Amino acid sequence: MRGLESGKYTGTVSRIHAFLLVVSLSGAVAQNLVVDATPSHTVNSFSPMHALGAGVDRISRDAADKTMIEPMLHEILASGWQMVTYRQNTELHAEAWHWNPQGTWSDASGKSGYFTGNAEPRETIRHSWGYTLPHRGFSRAREGGSNFSVLTDGDVATYWKSNPYLTRAFTGEDDSMHPQWVIVDLGSAQPVSAARIAWAEPYAKRYAVQFWTGEKNPRQATSGLWQTFPAGTVKDGRGGTVTLPLTAIPVVTRYLRIWMTVSSNTCDTHGSGDPRNCLGYAIHELYAGTLSKDGEFQDLVKHIAGAAQTSTVVSSVDPWHQPSDLNERGGDQVGFDFFFSSGITRGLPAMVPVAMLYGTPEDAAAQIAYLEKRKYPISYVELGEEPDGQRMLPEDYAALYVQWAAAIHKVDPNLKLGGPVFEGVKEDIEVWPDADGRVSWLGRFLDYLRAHGRMSDLAFMSFEHYPYTPCQSTWGDLYREPQLITHIMEVWRNDGLPQSVPLFMTEGNLSSRAGGTFLDIMGALWLADYTGSFFTAGGSASYFFHYIPEPLGRGCNDDSGSTFSLINVDRDFKIRGYLSQHFASQLITREWAQPVDREHRVFRASSDVRDSAGNILVTAYALLRPDGQWALLVVNKDHDRAHDLRITFRDSDSKSERGFAGPVQMVTFGAKQYQWHPDGANGYANPDGPPATSSITAGAETSYTIPEASVTVIRGKIAGGLTSGRE
């Protein structure tokens, strides 16, 4: 186990000089790496302190108590990442979040309802938890889990209910502007001619029963259409349990949708004491199938309180809950007092989330008030988490966004708010067409803010970046990363995101389940290539995921192991070694982008190193640092061969071409310094670093050897003192 101590690398120049550097006199034929150093061609600028960060997510209680303290904290911070974003995992599981375990219930006598955390600092908040929502409608349960949908659980006493904050009482808009819906997935295409709905209160007075015409999942929104059954429109619903003959000739389909536009506004089982109990729509149980000739209903739905149930997806969920819904097994959302006082933030302002999809604006405002009363520094506030993953329509997210923004800005009008915290995506997120045929999620969200005069509430746009299919990553995926991140950021600008709104990647890595590819040297190469590509494409801040070490998991159904950590720890959180992205992080934060608290300017760089298929094998990212040095982050994605590079800095204004001159530092981390040995939870690296370092005196004829499967930082000044106008 070897790391980097006090910013110094171990290893000797004599040991690594031979494979790091080749001078042209050796006879090697160098290929070309060209930096466009024209002063007016700066493509971006950033301060590492504000732009290079990491994320802290929901983790086990043991992980928080054993890692966010010394000596582990020192090892975490040694990666060099600066500002921290606090990730909110409860919303991914359709749970309410008690950021403060102490607070008040809307129904004080029954200790239930809508919970608001206490805004007054009292007891230290070390841990916080999620609460499963009893009126949920998502089928996400694993075997033995409790987070199944109540729409097909076989219990007519339970019911799904939509979010009351999407009704006229809170949006100020007609309920038809925010239709609520339920999708039933029968598992395979089957003949359907009838549906049965056991309505709860409030029920839908106007609704339609529809089927999906496409062969793909409705999540691929433009692959089909929702078509209303011939007799599927109901204009005067009266609740109760109704059996609806939908068509004389059965339609073969897999997916059904109930589309609700007018509510009865009658009160649910919690009574009329809180108006939220009487808003939206509620259903006890759903059935779909056919009617026999004698009128007998033949049901295709599996009504099970668990993972084997017929799956359902819903537009929203009422955040009503009670103390018994506490879910400590789901993991610890690290308490804010512990988070800010532990040292994990380095004392820098942190990005914090507020629960929105399954919370209340009052609770979000109380959270911000609490943090400010504690005088914790906040950089940005993210509203909600992955609404696209929760299948929420953009108008619904936007309607919540403006309510939450108003509540938070009453506490502090200067806070910078943003979202939508998209899932890791590679293409524009599309949703079912609106009345004008628009399908872009982000475009419609922005349109809503503009139409309501609230674009000023969007201070940044945030997204997650998991570019590859889980458990299917291959070495060849490395060739795609620069285009993937550049493309998706261009798409969002084309959707109408103003250039003045910065783009933040607030959580990302190879994939949500990368397996051994994450742990091997590929993880290091991807991280360097992504980081350089992101800033070259105009990104403003990137947060590595995940900061906190956790033990290796089994991986992708094999012995490769799996973790998002930078450090390999055992079940007792003792360090077993370092992982490849730990060293890549240090090359980025300690060697490429220094000093951390001043502006770095980004310039384009390109190489002509390609394979026979045309893939670019060597990518490079150029910074003009505030200390006057040029720093190149060079990634050789050729798995088997080193490549010699002649490096040229080209200024098209002065029509000059120059190279490094004088002392040049080189730091390389690659397959020669690190090899992963998979063994499930006992996997390890050997060798396990450190990077190789050298210092040379460069001249006009110097070429540089970039070893196979490696990341190299080359740093120095160039002939003639070309510094694009800044020293």
Side-chain angles (χ1 to χ4, degrees), residues 5 143 177 232 281 366 456 495 557 595 612 695 713:
E5 299 177 359
E143 291 297 336
M177 300 295 292
Y281 308 91
S456 61
D495 284 340
N557 300 316
S612 58
S695 178
V713 173

Side-chain angles (χ1 to χ4, degrees), residues 282-305:
I283 298 174
H284 283 297
E285 198 82 4
L286 285 174
Y287 312 80
T290 58
L291 288 174
S292 65
K293 291 182 179 180
D294 58 4
E296 182 179 351
F297 183 79
Q298 298 171 325
D299 189 17
L300 297 171
V301 173
K302 297 177 182 177
H303 302 270
I304 300 170

